[in-house]
């Protein structure tokens, strides 16, 4: 038996059981989950690649995530299994058993299969990230950019799509720019239906306010904590 697969199934079963006991306490969440809710970003594109129509939705029950799509169980603080990395390298977070956040990191280059980041010594140790093409889909999937600010060593922006999904995108210089002798951008995309699940409480409210007012950007650099 595949040990990793068995471990994933065991943890998911245990997590599902605990969440099942709390259904009465979280009845309002369950009611929301029973209704059509926004699709997690990029899910329709991934479904098209697989040749099916199964997509994950915000407020969808985590127990419905197919085991074959789980690449790795992730940890949030002391808890293992309330966040998973999907096979498409998108992480979804479900603290109460229902998906509330997704996160994707999109660098232009990634280590060759089997290598860890610290093992990258030359350009021969890197390959182009096949998921980097998702950057071209931002407007269609995440909605048009409605606010943008200078942030840290790069930029931060906010997008809100027609389904009401908010996405915080931070742009930073590529990790391997020195190795590749090339200037690239790494995009970190965090999406949720409720701002509280995006995090970065110092930055997100400002970006949402800019989107609402139509101001679009702030001069200077924000130093809000993540």
């Amino acid at each position: 038996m595949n040990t990793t697969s068995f471990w994933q199934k065991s943890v998911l079963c245990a997590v599902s059981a605990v969440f099942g006991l709390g259904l009465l306490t979280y009845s309002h969440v369950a009611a929301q989950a029973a209704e059509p809710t926004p699709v997690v970003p990029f899910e329709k594109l991934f479904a098209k690649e697989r040749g099916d129509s199964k997509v994950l939705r915000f407020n969808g029950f985590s127990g419905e995530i197919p085991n074959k799509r789980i690449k790795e169980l992730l940890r949030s603080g002391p808890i293992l299994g309330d966040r998973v990395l999907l096979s498409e390298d998108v992480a979804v977070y479900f603290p109460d058993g229902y998906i509330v956040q997704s996160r994707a990191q999109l660098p232009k280059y990634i280590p060759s299969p089997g290598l860890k980041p610290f093992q990258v010594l030359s350009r021969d140790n890197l390959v182009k990230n096949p998921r980097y093409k998702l950057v071209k889909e931002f407007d269609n999937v995440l909605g048009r950019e409605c606010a943008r600010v200078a942030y840290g060593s790069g930029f931060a922006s906010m997008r809100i799509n027609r389904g009401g999904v908010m996405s915080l995108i931070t742009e930073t210089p590529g990790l391997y720019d020195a190795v590749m002798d090339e200037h690239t951008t790494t995009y970190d995309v965090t999406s949720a239906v409720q701002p509280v699940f995006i995090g970065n409480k110092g930055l997100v409210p400002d970006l949402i306010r800019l989107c609402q007012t139509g101001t679009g950007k702030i001069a200077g650099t924000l130093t809000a904590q993540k």
Side-chain angles (χ1 to χ4, degrees), residues 100-122:
V100 296
Q101 182 206 79
S102 71
R103 184 174 181 180
Q105 189 176 65
L106 302 170
K108 185 174 181 179
Y109 298 100
I110 56 176
S112 299
L115 291 183
K116 301 293 185 182
F118 67 86
Q119 295 175 310
V120 173
L121 302 176
S122 70

Side-chain angles (χ1 to χ4, degrees), residues 6-92:
F6 175 78
W7 170 240
Q8 290 176 342
K9 290 180 179 178
S10 298
V11 172
L12 285 178
C13 287
V15 171
S16 297
V18 172
F19 292 145
L21 291 175
L23 284 179
L24 291 178
T25 304
Y26 295 98
S27 59
H28 64 290
V29 178
Q32 289 180 340
E35 301 174 355
T37 53
V39 175
V40 172
F42 310 118
E43 276 292 292
K44 291 183 178 180
L45 296 176
F46 298 152
K48 186 176 181 180
E49 289 180 359
R50 296 192 304 268
D52 60 45
S53 59
K54 298 179 181 178
V55 296
L56 301 179
R57 293 177 176 273
F58 287 108
N59 290 331
F61 181 47
S62 61
E64 296 177 356
I65 302 174
N67 186 61
K68 63 182 180 180
R69 289 194 63 190
I70 298 176
K71 182 176 182 179
E72 184 180 351
L73 296 172
L74 304 178
R75 183 185 298 276
S76 293
I79 302 174
L80 175 66
D82 65 352
R83 188 189 302 268
V84 299
L85 182 66
L86 302 176
S87 55
E88 296 87 0
D89 290 323
V90 174
V92 291

Side-chain angles (χ1 to χ4, degrees), residues 63-212:
E64 296 177 356
I65 302 174
N67 186 61
K68 63 182 180 180
R69 289 194 63 190
I70 298 176
K71 182 176 182 179
E72 184 180 351
L73 296 172
L74 304 178
R75 183 185 298 276
S76 293
I79 302 174
L80 175 66
D82 65 352
R83 188 189 302 268
V84 299
L85 182 66
L86 302 176
S87 55
E88 296 87 0
D89 290 323
V90 174
V92 291
Y93 178 47
F94 40 90
D96 293 322
Y98 295 89
I99 298 172
V100 296
Q101 182 206 79
S102 71
R103 184 174 181 180
Q105 189 176 65
L106 302 170
K108 185 174 181 179
Y109 298 100
I110 56 176
S112 299
L115 291 183
K116 301 293 185 182
F118 67 86
Q119 295 175 310
V120 173
L121 302 176
S122 70
R123 63 174 59 219
D124 292 333
N125 300 139
L126 296 169
V127 296
K128 285 188 175 181
N129 180 8
R131 295 295 175 194
Y132 201 65
K133 62 185 179 183
L134 294 177
V135 175
K136 295 181 179 180
E137 301 293 337
F138 280 4
D139 283 354
N140 292 329
V141 175
L142 306 178
R144 292 192 176 278
E145 184 179 281
C146 56
R148 181 180 184 83
V149 298
Y151 183 65
S153 58
F155 297 92
S157 61
M158 176 68 70
R159 294 170 182 261
I160 304 175
N161 68 17
R162 293 182 178 180
V165 177
M166 295 171 282
S167 295
L168 169 67
I169 299 96
T170 56
E171 304 171 23
T172 56
L175 179 62
Y176 304 108
D177 282 3
V179 176
M180 296 300 295
D181 191 23
E182 180 181 345
H183 293 293
T184 67
T185 301
T186 293
Y187 298 87
D188 200 311
V189 183
T190 303
S191 304
V193 176
Q194 299 180 46
V196 66
F197 292 120
I198 296 181
N200 204 323
K201 297 179 180 179
L203 176 62
V204 170
D206 283 337
L207 289 173
I208 292 176
R209 177 175 53 80
L210 289 174
C211 287
Q212 292 173 335

